[in-house]
Amino acid sequence: MTRGRMTRSSRACERAGTLPERQLRAARAAERLRVELTEGHGITARVHEGYGIAMLWAGPTAEVVVWTDGQWFRWWTGRLTRTGGKVYASGTCDNPATIARRVSLRYTDLSAKQAGPGNELRTVAG
């Protein structure tokens, strides 16, 4: 379990210089996005990485899943094409703050839909 950070074995491999650069790029990009979501938007997220990609699960039940290869972030917008295909949003990894803002908007939209009609979202002070 990663607990929102690179796995212990990944950190050890990084120190030893044995983790492929592609996988390092993906893990680092996902971690930067996780920090932006947590610190800038109050959204908890976990990072899971391997095979040259990393996935970031935003929210307690993975409401938004973001994939990265270290160059691009991608996530489902919630929309479908006319033929039923999913429409994905994407953005480069060079500005995680912008991507965090966009992902937080999607997260807020999903949270509102899950609350259902007549059930307002409640924010807890603290």
Side-chain angles (χ1 to χ4, degrees), residues 26-48:
R28 288 175 183 154
E31 181 62 19
R32 286 192 305 269
L33 181 57
R34 186 197 66 78
V35 169
E36 286 289 338
L37 283 168
T38 302
E39 294 178 1
H41 301 277
I43 299 172
T44 59
R46 296 172 307 205
V47 173
H48 301 277

PDB file of all heavy atoms in Angstrom, residues 26-48:
ATOM      1  N   ALA A  26       6.876   9.416 -13.841  1.00  0.00           N
ATOM      2  CA  ALA A  26       5.448   9.257 -13.561  1.00  0.00           C
ATOM      3  C   ALA A  26       5.174   9.370 -12.062  1.00  0.00           C
ATOM      4  O   ALA A  26       4.253  10.075 -11.647  1.00  0.00           O
ATOM      5  CB  ALA A  26       4.957   7.921 -14.103  1.00  0.00           C
ATOM      6  N   ALA A  27       5.970   8.697 -11.247  1.00  0.00           N
ATOM      7  CA  ALA A  27       5.763   8.727  -9.798  1.00  0.00           C
ATOM      8  C   ALA A  27       5.968  10.128  -9.240  1.00  0.00           C
ATOM      9  O   ALA A  27       5.204  10.584  -8.390  1.00  0.00           O
ATOM     10  CB  ALA A  27       6.712   7.741  -9.116  1.00  0.00           C
ATOM     11  N   ARG A  28       6.985  10.820  -9.718  1.00  0.00           N
ATOM     12  CA  ARG A  28       7.245  12.183  -9.243  1.00  0.00           C
ATOM     13  C   ARG A  28       6.128  13.136  -9.642  1.00  0.00           C
ATOM     14  O   ARG A  28       5.702  13.982  -8.849  1.00  0.00           O
ATOM     15  CB  ARG A  28       8.576  12.680  -9.786  1.00  0.00           C
ATOM     16  CG  ARG A  28       9.768  12.014  -9.151  1.00  0.00           C
ATOM     17  CD  ARG A  28      11.042  12.459  -9.814  1.00  0.00           C
ATOM     18  NE  ARG A  28      12.194  11.779  -9.262  1.00  0.00           N
ATOM     19  CZ  ARG A  28      13.322  11.581  -9.910  1.00  0.00           C
ATOM     20  NH1 ARG A  28      13.465  12.007 -11.150  1.00  0.00           N
ATOM     21  NH2 ARG A  28      14.321  10.958  -9.326  1.00  0.00           N
ATOM     22  N   ALA A  29       5.647  13.018 -10.878  1.00  0.00           N
ATOM     23  CA  ALA A  29       4.556  13.888 -11.339  1.00  0.00           C
ATOM     24  C   ALA A  29       3.293  13.651 -10.519  1.00  0.00           C
ATOM     25  O   ALA A  29       2.619  14.601 -10.101  1.00  0.00           O
ATOM     26  CB  ALA A  29       4.291  13.649 -12.822  1.00  0.00           C
ATOM     27  N   ALA A  30       2.963  12.387 -10.265  1.00  0.00           N
ATOM     28  CA  ALA A  30       1.780  12.065  -9.472  1.00  0.00           C
ATOM     29  C   ALA A  30       1.919  12.584  -8.046  1.00  0.00           C
ATOM     30  O   ALA A  30       0.960  13.095  -7.466  1.00  0.00           O
ATOM     31  CB  ALA A  30       1.543  10.556  -9.481  1.00  0.00           C
ATOM     32  N   GLU A  31       3.100  12.475  -7.493  1.00  0.00           N
ATOM     33  CA  GLU A  31       3.326  12.973  -6.126  1.00  0.00           C
ATOM     34  C   GLU A  31       3.181  14.493  -6.064  1.00  0.00           C
ATOM     35  O   GLU A  31       2.599  15.030  -5.121  1.00  0.00           O
ATOM     36  CB  GLU A  31       4.707  12.534  -5.628  1.00  0.00           C
ATOM     37  CG  GLU A  31       5.021  12.978  -4.221  1.00  0.00           C
ATOM     38  CD  GLU A  31       4.086  12.435  -3.151  1.00  0.00           C
ATOM     39  OE1 GLU A  31       3.378  11.435  -3.388  1.00  0.00           O
ATOM     40  OE2 GLU A  31       4.057  13.022  -2.047  1.00  0.00           O
ATOM     41  N   ARG A  32       3.685  15.210  -7.076  1.00  0.00           N
ATOM     42  CA  ARG A  32       3.519  16.676  -7.099  1.00  0.00           C
ATOM     43  C   ARG A  32       2.039  17.041  -7.169  1.00  0.00           C
ATOM     44  O   ARG A  32       1.596  17.969  -6.502  1.00  0.00           O
ATOM     45  CB  ARG A  32       4.295  17.284  -8.264  1.00  0.00           C
ATOM     46  CG  ARG A  32       5.800  17.313  -8.046  1.00  0.00           C
ATOM     47  CD  ARG A  32       6.518  18.167  -9.077  1.00  0.00           C
ATOM     48  NE  ARG A  32       6.229  17.783 -10.447  1.00  0.00           N
ATOM     49  CZ  ARG A  32       6.935  16.906 -11.165  1.00  0.00           C
ATOM     50  NH1 ARG A  32       7.972  16.312 -10.632  1.00  0.00           N
ATOM     51  NH2 ARG A  32       6.602  16.633 -12.408  1.00  0.00           N
ATOM     52  N   LEU A  33       1.287  16.301  -7.973  1.00  0.00           N
ATOM     53  CA  LEU A  33      -0.146  16.566  -8.072  1.00  0.00           C
ATOM     54  C   LEU A  33      -0.840  16.243  -6.753  1.00  0.00           C
ATOM     55  O   LEU A  33      -1.718  16.980  -6.310  1.00  0.00           O
ATOM     56  CB  LEU A  33      -0.761  15.761  -9.215  1.00  0.00           C
ATOM     57  CG  LEU A  33      -2.261  15.959  -9.436  1.00  0.00           C
ATOM     58  CD1 LEU A  33      -2.612  17.427  -9.684  1.00  0.00           C
ATOM     59  CD2 LEU A  33      -2.743  15.088 -10.582  1.00  0.00           C
ATOM     60  N   ARG A  34      -0.449  15.162  -6.106  1.00  0.00           N
ATOM     61  CA  ARG A  34      -1.038  14.800  -4.811  1.00  0.00           C
ATOM     62  C   ARG A  34      -0.834  15.914  -3.794  1.00  0.00           C
ATOM     63  O   ARG A  34      -1.757  16.306  -3.086  1.00  0.00           O
ATOM     64  CB  ARG A  34      -0.425  13.500  -4.279  1.00  0.00           C
ATOM     65  CG  ARG A  34      -1.109  13.007  -2.999  1.00  0.00           C
ATOM     66  CD  ARG A  34      -0.282  11.984  -2.258  1.00  0.00           C
ATOM     67  NE  ARG A  34       0.944  12.545  -1.725  1.00  0.00           N
ATOM     68  CZ  ARG A  34       1.031  13.302  -0.623  1.00  0.00           C
ATOM     69  NH1 ARG A  34      -0.053  13.600   0.063  1.00  0.00           N
ATOM     70  NH2 ARG A  34       2.184  13.769  -0.211  1.00  0.00           N
ATOM     71  N   VAL A  35       0.364  16.467  -3.751  1.00  0.00           N
ATOM     72  CA  VAL A  35       0.662  17.559  -2.816  1.00  0.00           C
ATOM     73  C   VAL A  35      -0.201  18.775  -3.136  1.00  0.00           C
ATOM     74  O   VAL A  35      -0.777  19.399  -2.236  1.00  0.00           O
ATOM     75  CB  VAL A  35       2.165  17.905  -2.841  1.00  0.00           C
ATOM     76  CG1 VAL A  35       2.453  19.192  -2.095  1.00  0.00           C
ATOM     77  CG2 VAL A  35       2.977  16.745  -2.267  1.00  0.00           C
ATOM     78  N   GLU A  36      -0.314  19.124  -4.409  1.00  0.00           N
ATOM     79  CA  GLU A  36      -1.143  20.278  -4.812  1.00  0.00           C
ATOM     80  C   GLU A  36      -2.607  20.064  -4.426  1.00  0.00           C
ATOM     81  O   GLU A  36      -3.261  20.990  -3.935  1.00  0.00           O
ATOM     82  CB  GLU A  36      -1.043  20.524  -6.319  1.00  0.00           C
ATOM     83  CG  GLU A  36       0.260  21.127  -6.767  1.00  0.00           C
ATOM     84  CD  GLU A  36       0.432  22.581  -6.355  1.00  0.00           C
ATOM     85  OE1 GLU A  36      -0.571  23.276  -6.092  1.00  0.00           O
ATOM     86  OE2 GLU A  36       1.584  23.023  -6.301  1.00  0.00           O
ATOM     87  N   LEU A  37      -3.127  18.873  -4.660  1.00  0.00           N
ATOM     88  CA  LEU A  37      -4.527  18.598  -4.304  1.00  0.00           C
ATOM     89  C   LEU A  37      -4.741  18.672  -2.801  1.00  0.00           C
ATOM     90  O   LEU A  37      -5.734  19.229  -2.341  1.00  0.00           O
ATOM     91  CB  LEU A  37      -4.948  17.221  -4.825  1.00  0.00           C
ATOM     92  CG  LEU A  37      -5.244  17.127  -6.304  1.00  0.00           C
ATOM     93  CD1 LEU A  37      -5.367  15.671  -6.732  1.00  0.00           C
ATOM     94  CD2 LEU A  37      -6.509  17.895  -6.647  1.00  0.00           C
ATOM     95  N   THR A  38      -3.814  18.103  -2.045  1.00  0.00           N
ATOM     96  CA  THR A  38      -3.956  18.067  -0.595  1.00  0.00           C
ATOM     97  C   THR A  38      -3.788  19.449   0.020  1.00  0.00           C
ATOM     98  O   THR A  38      -4.636  19.910   0.780  1.00  0.00           O
ATOM     99  CB  THR A  38      -2.938  17.086   0.018  1.00  0.00           C
ATOM    100  OG1 THR A  38      -3.156  15.798  -0.548  1.00  0.00           O
ATOM    101  CG2 THR A  38      -3.087  17.008   1.525  1.00  0.00           C
ATOM    102  N   GLU A  39      -2.702  20.112  -0.314  1.00  0.00           N
ATOM    103  CA  GLU A  39      -2.403  21.406   0.301  1.00  0.00           C
ATOM    104  C   GLU A  39      -3.214  22.547  -0.281  1.00  0.00           C
ATOM    105  O   GLU A  39      -3.610  23.451   0.441  1.00  0.00           O
ATOM    106  CB  GLU A  39      -0.909  21.702   0.184  1.00  0.00           C
ATOM    107  CG  GLU A  39      -0.054  20.733   0.984  1.00  0.00           C
ATOM    108  CD  GLU A  39       1.430  20.979   0.838  1.00  0.00           C
ATOM    109  OE1 GLU A  39       1.835  21.933   0.114  1.00  0.00           O
ATOM    110  OE2 GLU A  39       2.205  20.217   1.432  1.00  0.00           O
ATOM    111  N   GLY A  40      -3.480  22.508  -1.564  1.00  0.00           N
ATOM    112  CA  GLY A  40      -4.181  23.616  -2.203  1.00  0.00           C
ATOM    113  C   GLY A  40      -5.685  23.503  -2.222  1.00  0.00           C
ATOM    114  O   GLY A  40      -6.392  24.504  -2.298  1.00  0.00           O
ATOM    115  N   HIS A  41      -6.197  22.252  -2.156  1.00  0.00           N
ATOM    116  CA  HIS A  41      -7.637  22.060  -2.312  1.00  0.00           C
ATOM    117  C   HIS A  41      -8.265  21.198  -1.224  1.00  0.00           C
ATOM    118  O   HIS A  41      -9.477  20.961  -1.252  1.00  0.00           O
ATOM    119  CB  HIS A  41      -7.930  21.456  -3.693  1.00  0.00           C
ATOM    120  CG  HIS A  41      -7.434  22.317  -4.807  1.00  0.00           C
ATOM    121  ND1 HIS A  41      -8.141  23.388  -5.299  1.00  0.00           N
ATOM    122  CD2 HIS A  41      -6.272  22.290  -5.506  1.00  0.00           C
ATOM    123  CE1 HIS A  41      -7.448  23.970  -6.256  1.00  0.00           C
ATOM    124  NE2 HIS A  41      -6.308  23.319  -6.399  1.00  0.00           N
ATOM    125  N   GLY A  42      -7.457  20.674  -0.317  1.00  0.00           N
ATOM    126  CA  GLY A  42      -7.985  19.871   0.779  1.00  0.00           C
ATOM    127  C   GLY A  42      -8.530  18.521   0.349  1.00  0.00           C
ATOM    128  O   GLY A  42      -9.358  17.938   1.045  1.00  0.00           O
ATOM    129  N   ILE A  43      -8.078  18.015  -0.783  1.00  0.00           N
ATOM    130  CA  ILE A  43      -8.548  16.728  -1.296  1.00  0.00           C
ATOM    131  C   ILE A  43      -7.468  15.682  -1.032  1.00  0.00           C
ATOM    132  O   ILE A  43      -6.342  15.816  -1.499  1.00  0.00           O
ATOM    133  CB  ILE A  43      -8.853  16.802  -2.808  1.00  0.00           C
ATOM    134  CG1 ILE A  43      -9.954  17.826  -3.068  1.00  0.00           C
ATOM    135  CG2 ILE A  43      -9.226  15.432  -3.350  1.00  0.00           C
ATOM    136  CD1 ILE A  43     -10.194  18.119  -4.528  1.00  0.00           C
ATOM    137  N   THR A  44      -7.828  14.659  -0.289  1.00  0.00           N
ATOM    138  CA  THR A  44      -6.854  13.594  -0.043  1.00  0.00           C
ATOM    139  C   THR A  44      -6.699  12.755  -1.305  1.00  0.00           C
ATOM    140  O   THR A  44      -7.648  12.589  -2.075  1.00  0.00           O
ATOM    141  CB  THR A  44      -7.301  12.679   1.114  1.00  0.00           C
ATOM    142  OG1 THR A  44      -8.558  12.114   0.783  1.00  0.00           O
ATOM    143  CG2 THR A  44      -7.393  13.445   2.419  1.00  0.00           C
ATOM    144  N   ALA A  45      -5.511  12.246  -1.495  1.00  0.00           N
ATOM    145  CA  ALA A  45      -5.240  11.442  -2.691  1.00  0.00           C
ATOM    146  C   ALA A  45      -4.161  10.419  -2.374  1.00  0.00           C
ATOM    147  O   ALA A  45      -3.345  10.631  -1.479  1.00  0.00           O
ATOM    148  CB  ALA A  45      -4.806  12.342  -3.843  1.00  0.00           C
ATOM    149  N   ARG A  46      -4.202   9.314  -3.102  1.00  0.00           N
ATOM    150  CA  ARG A  46      -3.191   8.264  -2.963  1.00  0.00           C
ATOM    151  C   ARG A  46      -2.541   8.052  -4.321  1.00  0.00           C
ATOM    152  O   ARG A  46      -3.214   8.121  -5.351  1.00  0.00           O
ATOM    153  CB  ARG A  46      -3.827   6.958  -2.517  1.00  0.00           C
ATOM    154  CG  ARG A  46      -4.456   7.028  -1.149  1.00  0.00           C
ATOM    155  CD  ARG A  46      -5.211   5.766  -0.883  1.00  0.00           C
ATOM    156  NE  ARG A  46      -6.141   5.561  -2.013  1.00  0.00           N
ATOM    157  CZ  ARG A  46      -7.253   4.871  -1.940  1.00  0.00           C
ATOM    158  NH1 ARG A  46      -7.574   4.275  -0.846  1.00  0.00           N
ATOM    159  NH2 ARG A  46      -8.039   4.744  -2.974  1.00  0.00           N
ATOM    160  N   VAL A  47      -1.268   7.745  -4.305  1.00  0.00           N
ATOM    161  CA  VAL A  47      -0.523   7.483  -5.535  1.00  0.00           C
ATOM    162  C   VAL A  47      -0.152   6.016  -5.582  1.00  0.00           C
ATOM    163  O   VAL A  47       0.337   5.455  -4.608  1.00  0.00           O
ATOM    164  CB  VAL A  47       0.755   8.358  -5.607  1.00  0.00           C
ATOM    165  CG1 VAL A  47       1.613   7.962  -6.797  1.00  0.00           C
ATOM    166  CG2 VAL A  47       0.399   9.832  -5.667  1.00  0.00           C
ATOM    167  N   HIS A  48      -0.398   5.404  -6.721  1.00  0.00           N
ATOM    168  CA  HIS A  48       0.025   4.034  -6.999  1.00  0.00           C
ATOM    169  C   HIS A  48       0.798   4.076  -8.304  1.00  0.00           C
ATOM    170  O   HIS A  48       0.324   4.665  -9.279  1.00  0.00           O
ATOM    171  CB  HIS A  48      -1.179   3.105  -7.131  1.00  0.00           C
ATOM    172  CG  HIS A  48      -2.023   3.063  -5.909  1.00  0.00           C
ATOM    173  ND1 HIS A  48      -1.732   2.261  -4.835  1.00  0.00           N
ATOM    174  CD2 HIS A  48      -3.142   3.758  -5.580  1.00  0.00           C
ATOM    175  CE1 HIS A  48      -2.642   2.452  -3.896  1.00  0.00           C
ATOM    176  NE2 HIS A  48      -3.498   3.358  -4.316  1.00  0.00           N
TER     177      HIS A  48
END
